[in-house]
Amino acid sequence: MSQRSKLRHSREQWKHKARQRADDHRYLRKELARIKRERDHQQALSAAEARLHAYERAPASRVVQTKADVIELALKLFLEARRSFRAVSRALKSLADVLGLKRPPCPQSVINWVMRLSIVRLQSAALPRGSALRAAPFANGWLWLIDISLTLGAGKILAL
């Protein structure tokens, strides 16, 4: 064998060994990364389970103490967050465990609370006096909303 062929042959052997080592290192690097990810996931799972057990063992502290608190929260969701009756009911139902509610209110309860609040506000409102009322009776800063329910019998109402 000539000097040149010997050099070429040894270079090919060196390249082959280098490729094998690179494959081994790449495999080990990937395995190490996978093991670290699994360990991190396992640690996160253990921490989450520990928090869950601590939450289950802790005495249930009620955020909502009275029915008035539930009503206030429902009215805030309806009036300030501008959610529908059903959406307020669903939100309180989903937060029932956190708030400490045994029975979340149904949409009809939220409707009743809003109606009661509107009646109280209507009764306590100051009516305009004098010529302003005679000139434009429906433009006195009020919004008139007519709600006719489809209920029959004693439950039939007309609310302004």
Side-chain angles (χ1 to χ4, degrees):
M1 262 165 120
S2 70
Q3 190 78 11
R4 189 176 173 123
S5 66
K6 285 182 184 178
L7 183 63
R8 186 177 294 153
H9 183 66
S10 71
R11 193 178 298 153
E12 290 298 323
Q13 286 178 342
W14 176 83
K15 285 181 183 177
H16 181 68
K17 285 182 182 177
R19 283 187 199 114
Q20 282 181 338
R21 281 191 217 111
D23 290 342
D24 290 343
H25 285 298
R26 189 177 305 114
Y27 172 76
L28 290 173
R29 222 177 24 247
K30 287 182 180 179
E31 277 297 304
L32 184 61
R34 182 186 62 79
I35 290 170
K36 284 182 180 179
R37 275 194 313 268
E38 285 179 2
R39 185 184 62 213
D40 291 344
H41 288 307
Q42 193 66 26
Q43 288 174 348
L45 178 64
S46 299
E49 286 176 348
R51 284 194 308 268
L52 179 64
H53 290 306
Y55 177 74
E56 288 173 349
R57 280 181 276 146
S61 61
R62 294 183 55 162
V63 175
V64 177
Q65 298 293 331
T66 63
K67 186 175 179 180
D69 295 337
V70 177
I71 294 171
E72 180 185 6
L73 183 59
L75 290 175
K76 282 185 179 183
L77 284 171
F78 180 77
L79 297 171
E80 294 175 14
R82 296 178 185 240
R83 300 288 143 223
S84 68
F85 298 120
R86 289 178 192 236
V88 170
S89 177
R90 281 193 304 257
L92 291 176
K93 188 180 294 183
S94 64
L95 294 173
D97 291 337
V98 176
L99 296 174
L101 296 175
K102 293 180 183 174
R103 278 186 55 210
C106 65
Q108 187 60 46
S109 297
V110 179
I111 291 171
N112 291 340
W113 296 335
V114 171
M115 291 293 285
R116 287 178 185 169
L117 177 67
S118 63
I119 290 170
V120 167
R121 284 190 177 174
L122 279 173
Q123 289 174 346
S124 64
L127 295 174
R129 297 181 191 167
S131 62
L133 183 60
R134 278 183 254 124
F138 293 107
N140 56 0
W142 287 81
L143 173 69
W144 293 80
L145 174 72
I146 299 177
D147 174 25
I148 303 172
S149 70
L150 298 175
T151 310
L152 298 175
K156 184 72 175 170
I157 59 170
L158 171 64
L160 289 180

